[in-house]
Amino acid sequence: MEKNLAKTYSPKEFEERIYAEWEKNGAFRAERDPKKKPYTIAMPPPNITGQLHMGHALDQTLQDVLIRWRRMQGFSALWIPGSDHASIATEVKVVDKIREEEGLTKEDLGREEFLKRAWQWKELYGGKITEQVRKLGNSCDWSRERFTMDEGCNKAVIEMFVKLYDKGLIYRGNRLINWCPECGTSLSDAEVEHEDKNGKYWYFRYPAKDGGEGIVVATSRPETMFGDVAIAVHPEDERYKDMIGKTVILPLVGREIPIIADEYPDPEKGTGAVKITPAHDPNDFQVGERHHLERPSCINPDAKMNGLAGKYEGLDRFECRKKWAAELEEAGYLVKTEDKVIPSGECYRCSTIIESMLSDQWFVAMEELAKPAIEAAKSGQLVHVPDRFEKIYLHWLENIRDWCISRQLWWGHRIPAYYCDDCGELIVQTEAPVVCSKCGSSKIRQDEDVLDTWFSSGLWPFSTLGWPEESEDYRYFYPTDVLVTGYDIIFFWVVRMVFSAIEMTGEIPFKYVYVHGLVRDAEGRKMSKSLGNGIDPLEIIDQYGADALRFMLTTGISPGNDMRFKTDKLESSRNFANKLWNASRFVIMNLQDEEGNFLETPEFMEGLELRDEDKWILSRVNSAVQYITDNLEKFELSLAGQRIYEVIWNEFCDWYIELVKNRLYQGDEQEKKVVRAVLVHALKDMLKLLHPFMPFLTEEIYSYLPKGTPDADNPEDFLMKGAWPVVDGQLEYPEEVKRIETAMEAIKSIRNIRAEAEAAPGRKLRAVILADGEGAAVMESCRRYIMSLANITEILITADKTETPEEAMSAVISGAEIFIPLDDLLDYKAEFERLSREKKKLEEEVDRLEKKLSNEGFVAKAPANIIAEEREKAAGYRDKLDKIRDRLELVARKC
RNA sequence: GGGCGAUUAACUCAGUUGGUAGAGUGCCACCUCGACAAGGUGGAAGUCGUUGGUUCGAGCCCAGUAUCGCCCACCA
């Protein structure tokens, strides 16, 4: 084995290997440890319809960050993986596949054979998905992997159905439902997508039976006229008052229908008179109920007209619409047409226009179930993050209608309802009956339909833990802690999990709903198959590594908002990984002797003589621990990730390593030992803080570091099992931090002078620093930093102004003035301009602050600490400004 | 019809309790120095959509408005 990291970060070399090691060592397995607190997330099960997309990658990475962090914090963290059978979506795919490959329909195959094919599909794609989940580095407990149609979930579904049925909350009824003619099944309201389409109104005259003018109605759907049973007008509508109770004739059809009065018609819309077709319109259905009207259907489930349409029987509804409207026009019944935007409903799977149809279906009565789910959010027991999504959740629940759960499909949970062919008895129970409980007949037939796929996913947080059994997992891990999902499935899923869980388990299934946005393409378009703009996470992982992908997905975003997938962000994440990789390489290099053996490196800081920069980096890391932990608590993953990036790159790499190089290269053994200790300590903490975001890279680096003494409580064989760093009040060194910050200020201004003067970086320069009292003491302590990082060979610190050179470029920093003699290079004009710019900036600041401080309101009302801070700042700027002015005067004379 | 989000540097976006605007990418100049060119150093770049209000003080809070986007809605 190599003793140090390779020169370039190359994730392919280790990601797969590390995942295999974690898995082999059971690192993801959650134990029911009574000494620990459980932390549980049920992974939203991806559909087995195909492969994972970027949305899954985002969703799962967020969960893995939370799970890994909590695990390190000492929770017994369980992340349950699984997949969803996705009834309708999968069935559509399998049907397509059979048609393409074998030229057969599902009816050709028969139910049993079709289900065999569907299970084969599940094996194939289910396997692909779990492979992808592993590639992403997700630390889910594979020993508890579940599928929505496995034995346990199946049992849970049946239990739920029977219980709700017994309580009267599930019922069978003949009602108007959403029908997809293409998929050949009913759909719930949530599965219908609304879209506005260009269409028109036809105004047709329905002549009166008594030979009068009759009445004109507007319709966007002439073909449904064959199902008309009445014309409704508003009772207060003066135009039609006299006509209520009269009879009109359905044009060309000849059927007589009454004019009725109902509150439903809006006198402002159309002509104020509405044709009533109870079998094909939800509103009309209700009017029909109120007036006890017949409800004849004129469209069949295959979207073709039936016998009621006379000669149009067998014709597609839209074809019929054209021909029938033309025929009516021909016959003189058309008064006018009007172009209009017509709202239409489409199937969320195949985009076919949905028909409202009368049908025998199973429904869940929602009113009673919705109440406690609403209460859960309102009482604060269920928290949405960000909270604006609570509105969406509540709005949906408060306007919910009964849920149609039966589907005329084969792939799914078959409804546990049985019919006796002899006496017609309906039996609903968990076990299939052998004989009819009423008449004893053995001619029992199970309901043909399966359940809405969301019925089973609604049970996911508890069915995966063993419910309805009171299993040990269920007792220990349930309720779960957080549900992570995209805002697009709040109604489909979140809502249903909450009411199902409350009804079945008596508990709210999770405390937090952490909602994220969508991953869009670089142009901001939704990624979709039809646009072909989807990006395969595996390809990205192959190119940049899983860590870079994960970091890119979790940082630079704000909760609940969409993000764009840009490769420059990905590259920047990969570069960050490379940066840490190389910094670690530097650390490891310095921990070893020439043969690659570890040198003595103390584990603890205590008793070591730390220098300012040591204390500075320790305190920076310590404050990062605080910040990152706080923000993870608040689900602000992006802020946490951003901070660890800054600490590693801008503080550890840019400053600490540079500050310490001299000691490592030239220091004595004791000195080196101290530096080694601090390097290892800081690096380990940073690796831990970054680990939830970039698990592979951090684990790999960790494996090259010297281990502490492993013991039972902290088996440091894997970083991922190590403890999350804790904030240590001892590590706040304000004095030392301030001195290092002053050194940085000095170094930056000298570098700036060097660049401005176009002095080659290698050119040795000397400096004279004017400072007295405390300022001089601080500068004295900064001497060696300035020498090495600003490349200064000689520094004179003096309180005597006469010792400062006139022929120099200068800079003013807090408590000191720096002069860099640059005889040959000195361009007074340029220097004058540079100082003028500086002066202007300072003047603006002083102005602003003085205005603020002379504002009586500010002094009277602002908090004391703010006022003090502002005063201090003002004083500092004034001091600098004075010095700059003096300098400027001098330089002005020279040019 | 109802609701929500966005509007900040050329681009993509952060900005946690109101207290001198940040990052990444790109751009300019310089740099192969013993972790790293997937790098280093320095620099340019924003009246935070707009109007008004609250406040000593507003990118942040309130009201209105414009543009873009999303969701929900029984839709003759």
Side-chain angles (χ1 to χ4, degrees), chain A residues 266 269 283 574 665 845 861 877:
Chain A
D266 179 352
K269 280 188 185 170
N283 290 308
R574 192 266 323 264
Y665 296 145
E845 282 311 308
K861 293 187 182 173
Y877 288 136

PDB file of all heavy atoms in Angstrom, chain A residues 266 269 283 574 665 845 861 877, chain B residues 4 13 20 35 38 56 74 76:
ATOM      1  N   ASP A 266     -74.292  30.278 -13.612  1.00  0.00           N
ATOM      2  CA  ASP A 266     -73.865  31.646 -13.357  1.00  0.00           C
ATOM      3  C   ASP A 266     -74.406  32.513 -14.486  1.00  0.00           C
ATOM      4  O   ASP A 266     -74.004  32.350 -15.634  1.00  0.00           O
ATOM      5  CB  ASP A 266     -72.335  31.676 -13.339  1.00  0.00           C
ATOM      6  CG  ASP A 266     -71.794  33.078 -13.105  1.00  0.00           C
ATOM      7  OD1 ASP A 266     -72.593  34.039 -13.101  1.00  0.00           O
ATOM      8  OD2 ASP A 266     -70.567  33.198 -12.932  1.00  0.00           O
ATOM      9  N   LYS A 269     -72.080  33.890 -17.149  1.00  0.00           N
ATOM     10  CA  LYS A 269     -71.296  33.046 -18.056  1.00  0.00           C
ATOM     11  C   LYS A 269     -72.150  32.524 -19.195  1.00  0.00           C
ATOM     12  O   LYS A 269     -73.307  32.151 -18.983  1.00  0.00           O
ATOM     13  CB  LYS A 269     -70.722  31.851 -17.287  1.00  0.00           C
ATOM     14  CG  LYS A 269     -69.470  32.169 -16.483  1.00  0.00           C
ATOM     15  CD  LYS A 269     -68.907  30.857 -15.947  1.00  0.00           C
ATOM     16  CE  LYS A 269     -67.735  31.095 -15.024  1.00  0.00           C
ATOM     17  NZ  LYS A 269     -67.375  29.846 -14.339  1.00  0.00           N
ATOM     18  N   ASN A 283     -69.998  18.879 -12.177  1.00  0.00           N
ATOM     19  CA  ASN A 283     -71.018  19.830 -11.730  1.00  0.00           C
ATOM     20  C   ASN A 283     -72.414  19.355 -12.091  1.00  0.00           C
ATOM     21  O   ASN A 283     -73.341  19.417 -11.297  1.00  0.00           O
ATOM     22  CB  ASN A 283     -70.794  21.197 -12.366  1.00  0.00           C
ATOM     23  CG  ASN A 283     -69.563  21.857 -11.801  1.00  0.00           C
ATOM     24  OD1 ASN A 283     -69.427  21.968 -10.590  1.00  0.00           O
ATOM     25  ND2 ASN A 283     -68.654  22.234 -12.666  1.00  0.00           N
ATOM     26  N   ARG A 574     -15.204  19.558  -7.646  1.00  0.00           N
ATOM     27  CA  ARG A 574     -14.139  18.593  -7.884  1.00  0.00           C
ATOM     28  C   ARG A 574     -12.781  19.232  -7.542  1.00  0.00           C
ATOM     29  O   ARG A 574     -11.913  18.602  -6.943  1.00  0.00           O
ATOM     30  CB  ARG A 574     -14.183  18.139  -9.346  1.00  0.00           C
ATOM     31  CG  ARG A 574     -13.334  16.943  -9.689  1.00  0.00           C
ATOM     32  CD  ARG A 574     -11.956  17.334 -10.219  1.00  0.00           C
ATOM     33  NE  ARG A 574     -11.965  18.519 -11.046  1.00  0.00           N
ATOM     34  CZ  ARG A 574     -12.015  18.518 -12.370  1.00  0.00           C
ATOM     35  NH1 ARG A 574     -12.058  17.390 -13.031  1.00  0.00           N
ATOM     36  NH2 ARG A 574     -11.984  19.642 -13.035  1.00  0.00           N
ATOM     37  N   TYR A 665      10.089  23.066   7.920  1.00  0.00           N
ATOM     38  CA  TYR A 665      11.306  22.890   7.137  1.00  0.00           C
ATOM     39  C   TYR A 665      12.555  23.254   7.922  1.00  0.00           C
ATOM     40  O   TYR A 665      13.611  22.666   7.731  1.00  0.00           O
ATOM     41  CB  TYR A 665      11.245  23.722   5.849  1.00  0.00           C
ATOM     42  CG  TYR A 665      10.150  23.275   4.905  1.00  0.00           C
ATOM     43  CD1 TYR A 665       9.455  24.175   4.123  1.00  0.00           C
ATOM     44  CD2 TYR A 665       9.812  21.919   4.799  1.00  0.00           C
ATOM     45  CE1 TYR A 665       8.455  23.769   3.260  1.00  0.00           C
ATOM     46  CE2 TYR A 665       8.803  21.511   3.945  1.00  0.00           C
ATOM     47  CZ  TYR A 665       8.128  22.432   3.176  1.00  0.00           C
ATOM     48  OH  TYR A 665       7.139  22.009   2.334  1.00  0.00           O
ATOM     49  N   GLU A 845     -15.683  56.098   4.094  1.00  0.00           N
ATOM     50  CA  GLU A 845     -16.020  55.341   5.293  1.00  0.00           C
ATOM     51  C   GLU A 845     -16.127  56.237   6.513  1.00  0.00           C
ATOM     52  O   GLU A 845     -17.062  56.147   7.306  1.00  0.00           O
ATOM     53  CB  GLU A 845     -14.974  54.239   5.544  1.00  0.00           C
ATOM     54  CG  GLU A 845     -15.135  53.023   4.657  1.00  0.00           C
ATOM     55  CD  GLU A 845     -16.555  52.505   4.635  1.00  0.00           C
ATOM     56  OE1 GLU A 845     -17.127  52.281   5.722  1.00  0.00           O
ATOM     57  OE2 GLU A 845     -17.116  52.339   3.533  1.00  0.00           O
ATOM     58  N   LYS A 861     -30.712  55.304  20.359  1.00  0.00           N
ATOM     59  CA  LYS A 861     -31.511  54.089  20.264  1.00  0.00           C
ATOM     60  C   LYS A 861     -30.759  52.807  19.923  1.00  0.00           C
ATOM     61  O   LYS A 861     -31.237  51.723  20.231  1.00  0.00           O
ATOM     62  CB  LYS A 861     -32.620  54.317  19.223  1.00  0.00           C
ATOM     63  CG  LYS A 861     -33.609  55.352  19.680  1.00  0.00           C
ATOM     64  CD  LYS A 861     -34.775  55.438  18.727  1.00  0.00           C
ATOM     65  CE  LYS A 861     -35.734  56.547  19.193  1.00  0.00           C
ATOM     66  NZ  LYS A 861     -36.803  56.793  18.229  1.00  0.00           N
ATOM     67  N   TYR A 877     -10.342  54.173  11.227  1.00  0.00           N
ATOM     68  CA  TYR A 877     -10.286  54.740   9.886  1.00  0.00           C
ATOM     69  C   TYR A 877      -9.665  56.135   9.894  1.00  0.00           C
ATOM     70  O   TYR A 877      -8.886  56.498   9.022  1.00  0.00           O
ATOM     71  CB  TYR A 877     -11.694  54.819   9.277  1.00  0.00           C
ATOM     72  CG  TYR A 877     -12.247  53.474   8.890  1.00  0.00           C
ATOM     73  CD1 TYR A 877     -13.566  53.127   9.183  1.00  0.00           C
ATOM     74  CD2 TYR A 877     -11.449  52.547   8.219  1.00  0.00           C
ATOM     75  CE1 TYR A 877     -14.073  51.900   8.830  1.00  0.00           C
ATOM     76  CE2 TYR A 877     -11.955  51.312   7.862  1.00  0.00           C
ATOM     77  CZ  TYR A 877     -13.268  50.985   8.168  1.00  0.00           C
ATOM     78  OH  TYR A 877     -13.763  49.781   7.819  1.00  0.00           O
TER      79      TYR A 877
ATOM     80  P     C B   4     -49.339  33.712  -0.780  1.00  0.00           P
ATOM     81  OP1   C B   4     -49.040  33.955   0.648  1.00  0.00           O
ATOM     82  OP2   C B   4     -49.624  34.834  -1.693  1.00  0.00           O
ATOM     83  O5'   C B   4     -48.150  32.860  -1.413  1.00  0.00           O
ATOM     84  C5'   C B   4     -47.707  31.663  -0.783  1.00  0.00           C
ATOM     85  C4'   C B   4     -46.736  30.938  -1.669  1.00  0.00           C
ATOM     86  O4'   C B   4     -47.351  30.632  -2.947  1.00  0.00           O
ATOM     87  C3'   C B   4     -45.498  31.722  -2.084  1.00  0.00           C
ATOM     88  O3'   C B   4     -44.538  31.800  -1.053  1.00  0.00           O
ATOM     89  C2'   C B   4     -45.028  30.912  -3.280  1.00  0.00           C
ATOM     90  O2'   C B   4     -44.429  29.704  -2.875  1.00  0.00           O
ATOM     91  C1'   C B   4     -46.355  30.605  -3.961  1.00  0.00           C
ATOM     92  N1    C B   4     -46.684  31.606  -4.998  1.00  0.00           N
ATOM     93  C2    C B   4     -46.016  31.507  -6.232  1.00  0.00           C
ATOM     94  O2    C B   4     -45.185  30.596  -6.392  1.00  0.00           O
ATOM     95  N3    C B   4     -46.297  32.397  -7.213  1.00  0.00           N
ATOM     96  C4    C B   4     -47.189  33.366  -6.989  1.00  0.00           C
ATOM     97  N4    C B   4     -47.425  34.222  -7.985  1.00  0.00           N
ATOM     98  C5    C B   4     -47.873  33.496  -5.745  1.00  0.00           C
ATOM     99  C6    C B   4     -47.594  32.606  -4.776  1.00  0.00           C
ATOM    100  P     C B  13     -29.813  30.310 -11.518  1.00  0.00           P
ATOM    101  OP1   C B  13     -30.912  29.356 -11.723  1.00  0.00           O
ATOM    102  OP2   C B  13     -30.043  31.758 -11.638  1.00  0.00           O
ATOM    103  O5'   C B  13     -29.138  29.989 -10.127  1.00  0.00           O
ATOM    104  C5'   C B  13     -29.424  30.769  -8.985  1.00  0.00           C
ATOM    105  C4'   C B  13     -28.326  30.550  -7.995  1.00  0.00           C
ATOM    106  O4'   C B  13     -27.139  31.258  -8.416  1.00  0.00           O
ATOM    107  C3'   C B  13     -28.584  31.082  -6.597  1.00  0.00           C
ATOM    108  O3'   C B  13     -29.352  30.137  -5.875  1.00  0.00           O
ATOM    109  C2'   C B  13     -27.185  31.231  -6.045  1.00  0.00           C
ATOM    110  O2'   C B  13     -26.664  30.003  -5.621  1.00  0.00           O
ATOM    111  C1'   C B  13     -26.407  31.696  -7.281  1.00  0.00           C
ATOM    112  N1    C B  13     -26.244  33.160  -7.365  1.00  0.00           N
ATOM    113  C2    C B  13     -25.314  33.778  -6.509  1.00  0.00           C
ATOM    114  O2    C B  13     -24.676  33.076  -5.722  1.00  0.00           O
ATOM    115  N3    C B  13     -25.143  35.117  -6.570  1.00  0.00           N
ATOM    116  C4    C B  13     -25.851  35.843  -7.440  1.00  0.00           C
ATOM    117  N4    C B  13     -25.654  37.141  -7.475  1.00  0.00           N
ATOM    118  C5    C B  13     -26.804  35.227  -8.320  1.00  0.00           C
ATOM    119  C6    C B  13     -26.970  33.903  -8.248  1.00  0.00           C
ATOM    120  P     U B  20     -22.308  46.300   9.099  1.00  0.00           P
ATOM    121  OP1   U B  20     -21.922  44.907   9.294  1.00  0.00           O
ATOM    122  OP2   U B  20     -21.429  47.421   9.451  1.00  0.00           O
ATOM    123  O5'   U B  20     -22.922  46.479   7.721  1.00  0.00           O
ATOM    124  C5'   U B  20     -22.642  46.761   6.569  1.00  0.00           C
ATOM    125  C4'   U B  20     -21.970  47.994   6.040  1.00  0.00           C
ATOM    126  O4'   U B  20     -20.927  48.495   6.877  1.00  0.00           O
ATOM    127  C3'   U B  20     -21.255  47.647   4.759  1.00  0.00           C
ATOM    128  O3'   U B  20     -22.194  47.738   3.717  1.00  0.00           O
ATOM    129  C2'   U B  20     -20.206  48.717   4.632  1.00  0.00           C
ATOM    130  O2'   U B  20     -20.728  49.841   3.964  1.00  0.00           O
ATOM    131  C1'   U B  20     -19.925  49.103   6.092  1.00  0.00           C
ATOM    132  N1    U B  20     -18.615  48.684   6.574  1.00  0.00           N
ATOM    133  C2    U B  20     -17.510  49.301   6.038  1.00  0.00           C
ATOM    134  O2    U B  20     -17.585  50.156   5.172  1.00  0.00           O
ATOM    135  N3    U B  20     -16.309  48.880   6.550  1.00  0.00           N
ATOM    136  C4    U B  20     -16.111  47.937   7.504  1.00  0.00           C
ATOM    137  O4    U B  20     -14.977  47.672   7.871  1.00  0.00           O
ATOM    138  C5    U B  20     -17.300  47.320   8.011  1.00  0.00           C
ATOM    139  C6    U B  20     -18.483  47.708   7.530  1.00  0.00           C
ATOM    140  P     A B  35       5.467  21.907  -0.677  1.00  0.00           P
ATOM    141  OP1   A B  35       5.064  23.297  -0.640  1.00  0.00           O
ATOM    142  OP2   A B  35       6.205  21.331   0.469  1.00  0.00           O
ATOM    143  O5'   A B  35       4.172  21.013  -0.909  1.00  0.00           O
ATOM    144  C5'   A B  35       4.267  19.606  -1.087  1.00  0.00           C
ATOM    145  C4'   A B  35       2.919  19.106  -1.548  1.00  0.00           C
ATOM    146  O4'   A B  35       1.947  19.415  -0.515  1.00  0.00           O
ATOM    147  C3'   A B  35       2.394  19.796  -2.809  1.00  0.00           C
ATOM    148  O3'   A B  35       2.858  19.124  -3.965  1.00  0.00           O
ATOM    149  C2'   A B  35       0.888  19.660  -2.623  1.00  0.00           C
ATOM    150  O2'   A B  35       0.464  18.353  -2.933  1.00  0.00           O
ATOM    151  C1'   A B  35       0.742  19.865  -1.112  1.00  0.00           C
ATOM    152  N9    A B  35       0.568  21.275  -0.733  1.00  0.00           N
ATOM    153  C8    A B  35       1.532  22.193  -0.429  1.00  0.00           C
ATOM    154  N7    A B  35       1.070  23.380  -0.106  1.00  0.00           N
ATOM    155  C5    A B  35      -0.297  23.226  -0.192  1.00  0.00           C
ATOM    156  C6    A B  35      -1.360  24.117   0.025  1.00  0.00           C
ATOM    157  N6    A B  35      -1.181  25.387   0.411  1.00  0.00           N
ATOM    158  N1    A B  35      -2.604  23.656  -0.150  1.00  0.00           N
ATOM    159  C2    A B  35      -2.765  22.384  -0.532  1.00  0.00           C
ATOM    160  N3    A B  35      -1.839  21.442  -0.775  1.00  0.00           N
ATOM    161  C4    A B  35      -0.620  21.934  -0.575  1.00  0.00           C
ATOM    162  P     A B  38      -4.870  21.751 -14.321  1.00  0.00           P
ATOM    163  OP1   A B  38      -4.124  20.538 -14.057  1.00  0.00           O
ATOM    164  OP2   A B  38      -5.426  22.014 -15.650  1.00  0.00           O
ATOM    165  O5'   A B  38      -6.025  21.888 -13.238  1.00  0.00           O
ATOM    166  C5'   A B  38      -7.159  22.810 -13.392  1.00  0.00           C
ATOM    167  C4'   A B  38      -7.880  22.788 -12.077  1.00  0.00           C
ATOM    168  O4'   A B  38      -8.568  21.519 -11.996  1.00  0.00           O
ATOM    169  C3'   A B  38      -6.890  22.861 -10.933  1.00  0.00           C
ATOM    170  O3'   A B  38      -6.809  24.085 -10.220  1.00  0.00           O
ATOM    171  C2'   A B  38      -6.972  21.483 -10.206  1.00  0.00           C
ATOM    172  O2'   A B  38      -7.179  21.646  -8.846  1.00  0.00           O
ATOM    173  C1'   A B  38      -8.130  20.766 -10.912  1.00  0.00           C
ATOM    174  N9    A B  38      -7.738  19.419 -11.349  1.00  0.00           N
ATOM    175  C8    A B  38      -6.807  19.047 -12.271  1.00  0.00           C
ATOM    176  N7    A B  38      -6.734  17.771 -12.469  1.00  0.00           N
ATOM    177  C5    A B  38      -7.690  17.237 -11.609  1.00  0.00           C
ATOM    178  C6    A B  38      -8.107  15.937 -11.348  1.00  0.00           C
ATOM    179  N6    A B  38      -7.582  14.879 -11.961  1.00  0.00           N
ATOM    180  N1    A B  38      -9.077  15.770 -10.439  1.00  0.00           N
ATOM    181  C2    A B  38      -9.599  16.829  -9.840  1.00  0.00           C
ATOM    182  N3    A B  38      -9.278  18.115 -10.012  1.00  0.00           N
ATOM    183  C4    A B  38      -8.317  18.259 -10.916  1.00  0.00           C
ATOM    184  P     C B  56     -36.506  55.664  15.200  1.00  0.00           P
ATOM    185  OP1   C B  56     -36.299  55.710  16.662  1.00  0.00           O
ATOM    186  OP2   C B  56     -37.525  56.497  14.519  1.00  0.00           O
ATOM    187  O5'   C B  56     -35.109  55.929  14.490  1.00  0.00           O
ATOM    188  C5'   C B  56     -34.639  57.263  14.313  1.00  0.00           C
ATOM    189  C4'   C B  56     -33.208  57.229  13.855  1.00  0.00           C
ATOM    190  O4'   C B  56     -32.382  56.676  14.918  1.00  0.00           O
ATOM    191  C3'   C B  56     -32.937  56.306  12.675  1.00  0.00           C
ATOM    192  O3'   C B  56     -33.201  56.965  11.457  1.00  0.00           O
ATOM    193  C2'   C B  56     -31.450  55.993  12.840  1.00  0.00           C
ATOM    194  O2'   C B  56     -30.634  57.054  12.396  1.00  0.00           O
ATOM    195  C1'   C B  56     -31.335  55.887  14.369  1.00  0.00           C
ATOM    196  N1    C B  56     -31.489  54.510  14.864  1.00  0.00           N
ATOM    197  C2    C B  56     -30.433  53.597  14.645  1.00  0.00           C
ATOM    198  O2    C B  56     -29.446  53.968  14.026  1.00  0.00           O
ATOM    199  N3    C B  56     -30.560  52.338  15.103  1.00  0.00           N
ATOM    200  C4    C B  56     -31.653  51.972  15.776  1.00  0.00           C
ATOM    201  N4    C B  56     -31.727  50.724  16.207  1.00  0.00           N
ATOM    202  C5    C B  56     -32.731  52.873  16.002  1.00  0.00           C
ATOM    203  C6    C B  56     -32.607  54.126  15.542  1.00  0.00           C
ATOM    204  P     C B  74     -61.355  21.330  -9.591  1.00  0.00           P
ATOM    205  OP1   C B  74     -61.999  20.258  -8.851  1.00  0.00           O
ATOM    206  OP2   C B  74     -60.132  21.034 -10.423  1.00  0.00           O
ATOM    207  O5'   C B  74     -62.505  21.992 -10.413  1.00  0.00           O
ATOM    208  C5'   C B  74     -62.609  22.549 -11.587  1.00  0.00           C
ATOM    209  C4'   C B  74     -64.061  22.446 -11.920  1.00  0.00           C
ATOM    210  O4'   C B  74     -64.649  21.325 -11.212  1.00  0.00           O
ATOM    211  C3'   C B  74     -64.871  23.649 -11.470  1.00  0.00           C
ATOM    212  O3'   C B  74     -64.892  24.594 -12.527  1.00  0.00           O
ATOM    213  C2'   C B  74     -66.244  23.074 -11.241  1.00  0.00           C
ATOM    214  O2'   C B  74     -66.967  22.975 -12.444  1.00  0.00           O
ATOM    215  C1'   C B  74     -65.935  21.673 -10.719  1.00  0.00           C
ATOM    216  N1    C B  74     -65.935  21.532  -9.241  1.00  0.00           N
ATOM    217  C2    C B  74     -66.984  22.079  -8.475  1.00  0.00           C
ATOM    218  O2    C B  74     -67.880  22.695  -9.045  1.00  0.00           O
ATOM    219  N3    C B  74     -66.980  21.933  -7.140  1.00  0.00           N
ATOM    220  C4    C B  74     -65.992  21.252  -6.558  1.00  0.00           C
ATOM    221  N4    C B  74     -66.022  21.125  -5.232  1.00  0.00           N
ATOM    222  C5    C B  74     -64.919  20.693  -7.295  1.00  0.00           C
ATOM    223  C6    C B  74     -64.945  20.852  -8.628  1.00  0.00           C
ATOM    224  P     A B  76     -67.071  27.037 -18.171  1.00  0.00           P
ATOM    225  OP1   A B  76     -66.804  28.439 -18.309  1.00  0.00           O
ATOM    226  OP2   A B  76     -68.353  26.649 -17.522  1.00  0.00           O
ATOM    227  O5'   A B  76     -66.918  26.273 -19.515  1.00  0.00           O
ATOM    228  C5'   A B  76     -67.897  26.159 -20.446  1.00  0.00           C
ATOM    229  C4'   A B  76     -68.930  25.126 -20.085  1.00  0.00           C
ATOM    230  O4'   A B  76     -69.713  25.614 -19.036  1.00  0.00           O
ATOM    231  C3'   A B  76     -69.821  24.931 -21.295  1.00  0.00           C
ATOM    232  O3'   A B  76     -69.541  23.624 -21.833  1.00  0.00           O
ATOM    233  C2'   A B  76     -71.215  25.087 -20.786  1.00  0.00           C
ATOM    234  O2'   A B  76     -71.920  23.896 -20.828  1.00  0.00           O
ATOM    235  C1'   A B  76     -71.065  25.505 -19.320  1.00  0.00           C
ATOM    236  N9    A B  76     -71.683  26.823 -19.095  1.00  0.00           N
ATOM    237  C8    A B  76     -72.021  27.761 -20.029  1.00  0.00           C
ATOM    238  N7    A B  76     -72.554  28.844 -19.528  1.00  0.00           N
ATOM    239  C5    A B  76     -72.569  28.605 -18.169  1.00  0.00           C
ATOM    240  C6    A B  76     -73.016  29.364 -17.083  1.00  0.00           C
ATOM    241  N6    A B  76     -73.538  30.582 -17.209  1.00  0.00           N
ATOM    242  N1    A B  76     -72.897  28.840 -15.866  1.00  0.00           N
ATOM    243  C2    A B  76     -72.361  27.635 -15.739  1.00  0.00           C
ATOM    244  N3    A B  76     -71.898  26.803 -16.678  1.00  0.00           N
ATOM    245  C4    A B  76     -72.038  27.362 -17.887  1.00  0.00           C
TER     246        A B  76
END
